[in-house]
Amino acid sequence: MEQPASLSSPDVLVEAVARGSERALKRLYALESPRLYGIALRIVRRPEVAAEVLQETFVQIWQNAGSFAPERGAAAAWLTGIVRFRALDALRRHSRETLSGDSALGDLAVEPDVLAKLDADADAAALRRCLEQLEENQRRSVVLAFVEGFSHADIAKRLSAPLGTVKSWVRRGLIALKGCLSP
Amino acid sequence: MIPQDPQERDAVAGEYVLGVLDDEQATEIRNALATDRELRAAVTFWENKLHPLSALATPANPPAEIWDAVEARISPPARTPRPSVAPWRWTTGAFAAIAAALLLYVAVTPREPLQSAAPMVAVLQSSQTQSAGWVAVLGPGGLRLSKLTRQAPPQAHAYELWGIAPHTTRPVPLGVIPASGEMRLAELPQGVGAGATLAISIEPPGGSPTGHPTGPVVYTGVLRAT
């Protein structure tokens, strides 16, 4: 059977999942699970925990798809939000035992050309442009929190800065980003 | 307190999306989202605008059995065709949920020293609708409680789990259930095992201040061997 191209879009699939289609969930899994698993793995580090996070994520997608409204933006961003929250929850339960042991943890965010790895589409380009306008430590703090799931304390340790300073880097970074990203 | 100043609200919504708020603040935001349209818009803004950053995590193929576990948790075991799914699908899916919870338990619980005890399951039903709201699995690694219902506690309240040993009437507090609806307990108090009743009540955010349920008991179920 011919499948229209739109059937492979997360937006269309989430809508079908909301109507109770298991097939749509399976297609969504096939389409999005490597990306979402990668996000989870990045945050929790342990494959068995990331696997649990991914499973919980798709059960939650199944249960909550009906509450996803298109005015919430792209379905892919909604999915990212779910897997990140699930991963952060798992991190709290399991404690980040790797943090002290893995000296490379968080290196990505402090690489000078990290933002060059972002996609080339318009949304990513806008975010990149705005992130590049931030003060370096503000940018690193935001990236560490989002990509690695770092807490304020994790960031403070990684960047060897006082906790209060880090909190202000994150907050001021967000306020500057908001100004830059708003239409 | 959710800030009313737009810039403050945007900042706290961004911190929420980043995941840097402490549990108490994050719960406050999550609870307010249902009713605060501006806060919801601010959170959506950040989810969408920061989303491109997630491309910095390299995609990876998850273990193949994950999909099977997901499928087992959302489908009735017989895999018979169903009418289109209504919000009460979990009522009829209760047995699937039990099977799935067990499967999940076996599949993904970090391996801990095995004890001989066979797993036990409790399906906690709504006191009002009798529909299955939660499933608890007690195995060698402890108790794992999972939410099936979409029902959330009333605003500025939390669900608290209680155990009542067989032939007793006094509920023993087992803890406030996180907003995620998932809870694990490494061990249960003496007597809270086979035949014990698990109950969920509505309490203030930090749990009952008295050590006894102070709000209505909204779900109950009995732990039984499988």
mmCIF file of all heavy atoms in Angstrom, chain A residues 42-68:
data_model
loop_
_atom_site.group_PDB
_atom_site.id
_atom_site.type_symbol
_atom_site.label_atom_id
_atom_site.label_comp_id
_atom_site.label_asym_id
_atom_site.label_seq_id
_atom_site.Cartn_x
_atom_site.Cartn_y
_atom_site.Cartn_z
ATOM 1 N N ARG A 42 22.494 10.370 26.310
ATOM 2 C CA ARG A 42 23.360 11.508 26.577
ATOM 3 C C ARG A 42 23.195 11.994 28.023
ATOM 4 O O ARG A 42 24.142 12.418 28.666
ATOM 5 C CB ARG A 42 22.960 12.633 25.610
ATOM 6 C CG ARG A 42 23.818 13.821 25.685
ATOM 7 C CD ARG A 42 24.913 13.692 24.683
ATOM 8 N NE ARG A 42 26.062 14.418 25.108
ATOM 9 C CZ ARG A 42 27.204 14.417 24.450
ATOM 10 N NH1 ARG A 42 27.332 13.687 23.353
ATOM 11 N NH2 ARG A 42 28.212 15.110 24.877
ATOM 12 N N ILE A 43 21.966 11.953 28.500
ATOM 13 C CA ILE A 43 21.688 12.481 29.834
ATOM 14 C C ILE A 43 21.958 11.439 30.918
ATOM 15 O O ILE A 43 22.631 11.728 31.904
ATOM 16 C CB ILE A 43 20.229 13.000 29.917
ATOM 17 C CG1 ILE A 43 20.079 14.239 29.025
ATOM 18 C CG2 ILE A 43 19.838 13.325 31.355
ATOM 19 C CD1 ILE A 43 18.666 14.767 28.907
ATOM 20 N N VAL A 44 21.466 10.209 30.738
ATOM 21 C CA VAL A 44 21.596 9.229 31.830
ATOM 22 C C VAL A 44 22.857 8.379 31.718
ATOM 23 O O VAL A 44 23.264 7.738 32.686
ATOM 24 C CB VAL A 44 20.359 8.299 31.942
ATOM 25 C CG1 VAL A 44 19.110 9.112 32.180
ATOM 26 C CG2 VAL A 44 20.219 7.405 30.726
ATOM 27 N N ARG A 45 23.447 8.331 30.520
ATOM 28 C CA ARG A 45 24.741 7.668 30.292
ATOM 29 C C ARG A 45 24.695 6.147 30.299
ATOM 30 O O ARG A 45 25.493 5.520 29.632
ATOM 31 C CB ARG A 45 25.792 8.124 31.324
ATOM 32 C CG ARG A 45 26.057 9.601 31.280
ATOM 33 C CD ARG A 45 27.018 9.927 30.156
ATOM 34 N NE ARG A 45 26.852 11.301 29.727
ATOM 35 C CZ ARG A 45 27.627 11.891 28.866
ATOM 36 N NH1 ARG A 45 28.646 11.242 28.354
ATOM 37 N NH2 ARG A 45 27.383 13.119 28.488
ATOM 38 N N ARG A 46 23.816 5.559 31.078
ATOM 39 C CA ARG A 46 23.824 4.095 31.173
ATOM 40 C C ARG A 46 22.776 3.512 30.239
ATOM 41 O O ARG A 46 21.591 3.835 30.351
ATOM 42 C CB ARG A 46 23.555 3.660 32.610
ATOM 43 C CG ARG A 46 24.773 3.870 33.505
ATOM 44 C CD ARG A 46 24.420 3.823 34.963
ATOM 45 N NE ARG A 46 23.653 2.626 35.322
ATOM 46 C CZ ARG A 46 23.071 2.464 36.502
ATOM 47 N NH1 ARG A 46 23.153 3.417 37.410
ATOM 48 N NH2 ARG A 46 22.411 1.378 36.767
ATOM 49 N N PRO A 47 23.180 2.622 29.321
ATOM 50 C CA PRO A 47 22.240 2.094 28.329
ATOM 51 C C PRO A 47 20.996 1.466 28.939
ATOM 52 O O PRO A 47 19.890 1.644 28.422
ATOM 53 C CB PRO A 47 23.054 1.047 27.566
ATOM 54 C CG PRO A 47 24.477 1.469 27.740
ATOM 55 C CD PRO A 47 24.561 2.123 29.087
ATOM 56 N N GLU A 48 21.148 0.742 30.064
ATOM 57 C CA GLU A 48 19.959 0.076 30.609
ATOM 58 C C GLU A 48 18.985 1.098 31.185
ATOM 59 O O GLU A 48 17.771 0.900 31.147
ATOM 60 C CB GLU A 48 20.343 -1.003 31.642
ATOM 61 C CG GLU A 48 20.770 -0.491 33.006
ATOM 62 C CD GLU A 48 22.255 -0.106 33.070
ATOM 63 O OE1 GLU A 48 22.873 0.072 31.986
ATOM 64 O OE2 GLU A 48 22.790 0.029 34.180
ATOM 65 N N VAL A 49 19.514 2.210 31.685
ATOM 66 C CA VAL A 49 18.628 3.259 32.197
ATOM 67 C C VAL A 49 17.990 4.009 31.021
ATOM 68 O O VAL A 49 16.799 4.316 31.036
ATOM 69 C CB VAL A 49 19.393 4.230 33.121
ATOM 70 C CG1 VAL A 49 18.472 5.323 33.642
ATOM 71 C CG2 VAL A 49 20.019 3.475 34.285
ATOM 72 N N ALA A 50 18.775 4.259 29.993
ATOM 73 C CA ALA A 50 18.242 4.936 28.805
ATOM 74 C C ALA A 50 17.135 4.096 28.169
ATOM 75 O O ALA A 50 16.131 4.633 27.684
ATOM 76 C CB ALA A 50 19.353 5.201 27.795
ATOM 77 N N ALA A 51 17.306 2.784 28.194
ATOM 78 C CA ALA A 51 16.283 1.892 27.627
ATOM 79 C C ALA A 51 14.984 2.011 28.408
ATOM 80 O O ALA A 51 13.889 2.081 27.832
ATOM 81 C CB ALA A 51 16.789 0.451 27.646
ATOM 82 N N GLU A 52 15.108 2.072 29.716
ATOM 83 C CA GLU A 52 13.922 2.229 30.562
ATOM 84 C C GLU A 52 13.254 3.579 30.297
ATOM 85 O O GLU A 52 12.029 3.685 30.190
ATOM 86 C CB GLU A 52 14.367 2.119 32.021
ATOM 87 C CG GLU A 52 13.255 2.130 33.004
ATOM 88 C CD GLU A 52 13.777 2.078 34.442
ATOM 89 O OE1 GLU A 52 15.001 1.813 34.627
ATOM 90 O OE2 GLU A 52 12.991 2.304 35.346
ATOM 91 N N VAL A 53 14.069 4.623 30.165
ATOM 92 C CA VAL A 53 13.555 5.965 29.878
ATOM 93 C C VAL A 53 12.785 5.956 28.556
ATOM 94 O O VAL A 53 11.702 6.517 28.449
ATOM 95 C CB VAL A 53 14.716 6.984 29.818
ATOM 96 C CG1 VAL A 53 14.275 8.292 29.183
ATOM 97 C CG2 VAL A 53 15.273 7.237 31.220
ATOM 98 N N LEU A 54 13.349 5.293 27.561
ATOM 99 C CA LEU A 54 12.702 5.268 26.242
ATOM 100 C C LEU A 54 11.358 4.551 26.316
ATOM 101 O O LEU A 54 10.366 5.000 25.738
ATOM 102 C CB LEU A 54 13.616 4.574 25.230
ATOM 103 C CG LEU A 54 13.119 4.646 23.788
ATOM 104 C CD1 LEU A 54 13.166 6.069 23.266
ATOM 105 C CD2 LEU A 54 13.925 3.722 22.886
ATOM 106 N N GLN A 55 11.341 3.457 27.051
ATOM 107 C CA GLN A 55 10.088 2.716 27.188
ATOM 108 C C GLN A 55 9.022 3.579 27.867
ATOM 109 O O GLN A 55 7.885 3.682 27.407
ATOM 110 C CB GLN A 55 10.349 1.440 27.999
ATOM 111 C CG GLN A 55 9.119 0.579 28.086
ATOM 112 C CD GLN A 55 9.311 -0.595 29.016
ATOM 113 O OE1 GLN A 55 8.392 -1.000 29.689
ATOM 114 N NE2 GLN A 55 10.503 -1.152 29.062
ATOM 115 N N GLU A 56 9.407 4.212 28.964
ATOM 116 C CA GLU A 56 8.474 5.086 29.674
ATOM 117 C C GLU A 56 8.007 6.228 28.772
ATOM 118 O O GLU A 56 6.858 6.649 28.830
ATOM 119 C CB GLU A 56 9.137 5.674 30.926
ATOM 120 C CG GLU A 56 9.523 4.647 31.972
ATOM 121 C CD GLU A 56 8.320 3.945 32.572
ATOM 122 O OE1 GLU A 56 7.237 4.548 32.573
ATOM 123 O OE2 GLU A 56 8.462 2.793 33.005
ATOM 124 N N THR A 57 8.917 6.725 27.973
ATOM 125 C CA THR A 57 8.586 7.832 27.077
ATOM 126 C C THR A 57 7.478 7.435 26.108
ATOM 127 O O THR A 57 6.501 8.171 25.928
ATOM 128 C CB THR A 57 9.845 8.257 26.292
ATOM 129 O OG1 THR A 57 10.824 8.724 27.219
ATOM 130 C CG2 THR A 57 9.528 9.361 25.291
ATOM 131 N N PHE A 58 7.604 6.254 25.508
ATOM 132 C CA PHE A 58 6.594 5.860 24.522
ATOM 133 C C PHE A 58 5.270 5.478 25.172
ATOM 134 O O PHE A 58 4.215 5.702 24.585
ATOM 135 C CB PHE A 58 7.137 4.780 23.585
ATOM 136 C CG PHE A 58 7.876 5.400 22.432
ATOM 137 C CD1 PHE A 58 9.227 5.702 22.530
ATOM 138 C CD2 PHE A 58 7.204 5.770 21.283
ATOM 139 C CE1 PHE A 58 9.892 6.324 21.496
ATOM 140 C CE2 PHE A 58 7.855 6.394 20.242
ATOM 141 C CZ PHE A 58 9.209 6.674 20.346
ATOM 142 N N VAL A 59 5.317 4.947 26.388
ATOM 143 C CA VAL A 59 4.052 4.699 27.093
ATOM 144 C C VAL A 59 3.379 6.041 27.394
ATOM 145 O O VAL A 59 2.172 6.206 27.232
ATOM 146 C CB VAL A 59 4.296 3.881 28.377
ATOM 147 C CG1 VAL A 59 3.021 3.811 29.216
ATOM 148 C CG2 VAL A 59 4.775 2.476 28.024
ATOM 149 N N GLN A 60 4.188 7.021 27.795
ATOM 150 C CA GLN A 60 3.626 8.344 28.086
ATOM 151 C C GLN A 60 3.080 9.004 26.814
ATOM 152 O O GLN A 60 2.044 9.670 26.847
ATOM 153 C CB GLN A 60 4.687 9.229 28.740
ATOM 154 C CG GLN A 60 4.098 10.532 29.255
ATOM 155 C CD GLN A 60 5.113 11.365 30.024
ATOM 156 O OE1 GLN A 60 6.125 10.864 30.500
ATOM 157 N NE2 GLN A 60 4.841 12.657 30.135
ATOM 158 N N ILE A 61 3.779 8.821 25.703
ATOM 159 C CA ILE A 61 3.283 9.369 24.436
ATOM 160 C C ILE A 61 1.912 8.765 24.128
ATOM 161 O O ILE A 61 0.973 9.462 23.748
ATOM 162 C CB ILE A 61 4.276 9.076 23.293
ATOM 163 C CG1 ILE A 61 5.564 9.879 23.486
ATOM 164 C CG2 ILE A 61 3.653 9.392 21.926
ATOM 165 C CD1 ILE A 61 6.715 9.415 22.600
ATOM 166 N N TRP A 62 1.804 7.465 24.320
ATOM 167 C CA TRP A 62 0.532 6.762 24.076
ATOM 168 C C TRP A 62 -0.572 7.325 24.963
ATOM 169 O O TRP A 62 -1.676 7.581 24.521
ATOM 170 C CB TRP A 62 0.734 5.269 24.342
ATOM 171 C CG TRP A 62 -0.495 4.428 24.261
ATOM 172 C CD1 TRP A 62 -1.137 3.828 25.297
ATOM 173 C CD2 TRP A 62 -1.229 4.075 23.075
ATOM 174 N NE1 TRP A 62 -2.216 3.120 24.837
ATOM 175 C CE2 TRP A 62 -2.305 3.262 23.487
ATOM 176 C CE3 TRP A 62 -1.077 4.367 21.724
ATOM 177 C CZ2 TRP A 62 -3.223 2.734 22.588
ATOM 178 C CZ3 TRP A 62 -1.999 3.849 20.822
ATOM 179 C CH2 TRP A 62 -3.057 3.046 21.257
ATOM 180 N N GLN A 63 -0.249 7.560 26.221
ATOM 181 C CA GLN A 63 -1.273 8.033 27.161
ATOM 182 C C GLN A 63 -1.602 9.509 26.970
ATOM 183 O O GLN A 63 -2.723 9.930 27.214
ATOM 184 C CB GLN A 63 -0.801 7.799 28.603
ATOM 185 C CG GLN A 63 -0.745 6.329 28.958
ATOM 186 C CD GLN A 63 -0.063 6.080 30.288
ATOM 187 O OE1 GLN A 63 0.604 6.952 30.839
ATOM 188 N NE2 GLN A 63 -0.209 4.880 30.807
ATOM 189 N N ASN A 64 -0.631 10.301 26.563
ATOM 190 C CA ASN A 64 -0.816 11.757 26.563
ATOM 191 C C ASN A 64 -0.977 12.379 25.185
ATOM 192 O O ASN A 64 -1.132 13.592 25.086
ATOM 193 C CB ASN A 64 0.370 12.443 27.251
ATOM 194 C CG ASN A 64 0.433 12.132 28.736
ATOM 195 O OD1 ASN A 64 -0.387 11.376 29.245
ATOM 196 N ND2 ASN A 64 1.399 12.683 29.426
ATOM 197 N N ALA A 65 -0.917 11.555 24.139
ATOM 198 C CA ALA A 65 -0.967 12.148 22.794
ATOM 199 C C ALA A 65 -2.218 12.999 22.622
ATOM 200 O O ALA A 65 -2.197 14.010 21.919
ATOM 201 C CB ALA A 65 -0.904 11.052 21.732
ATOM 202 N N GLY A 66 -3.304 12.598 23.290
ATOM 203 C CA GLY A 66 -4.543 13.353 23.172
ATOM 204 C C GLY A 66 -4.429 14.764 23.718
ATOM 205 O O GLY A 66 -5.195 15.646 23.333
ATOM 206 N N SER A 67 -3.468 14.981 24.601
ATOM 207 C CA SER A 67 -3.325 16.318 25.174
ATOM 208 C C SER A 67 -2.369 17.184 24.368
ATOM 209 O O SER A 67 -2.173 18.353 24.675
ATOM 210 C CB SER A 67 -2.830 16.224 26.622
ATOM 211 O OG SER A 67 -1.489 15.781 26.635
ATOM 212 N N PHE A 68 -1.757 16.581 23.331
ATOM 213 C CA PHE A 68 -0.862 17.394 22.504
ATOM 214 C C PHE A 68 -1.696 18.220 21.534
ATOM 215 O O PHE A 68 -2.511 17.692 20.793
ATOM 216 C CB PHE A 68 0.113 16.515 21.715
ATOM 217 C CG PHE A 68 0.951 17.319 20.761
ATOM 218 C CD1 PHE A 68 1.983 18.118 21.233
ATOM 219 C CD2 PHE A 68 0.670 17.337 19.404
ATOM 220 C CE1 PHE A 68 2.737 18.892 20.375
ATOM 221 C CE2 PHE A 68 1.422 18.100 18.534
ATOM 222 C CZ PHE A 68 2.454 18.879 19.023
#
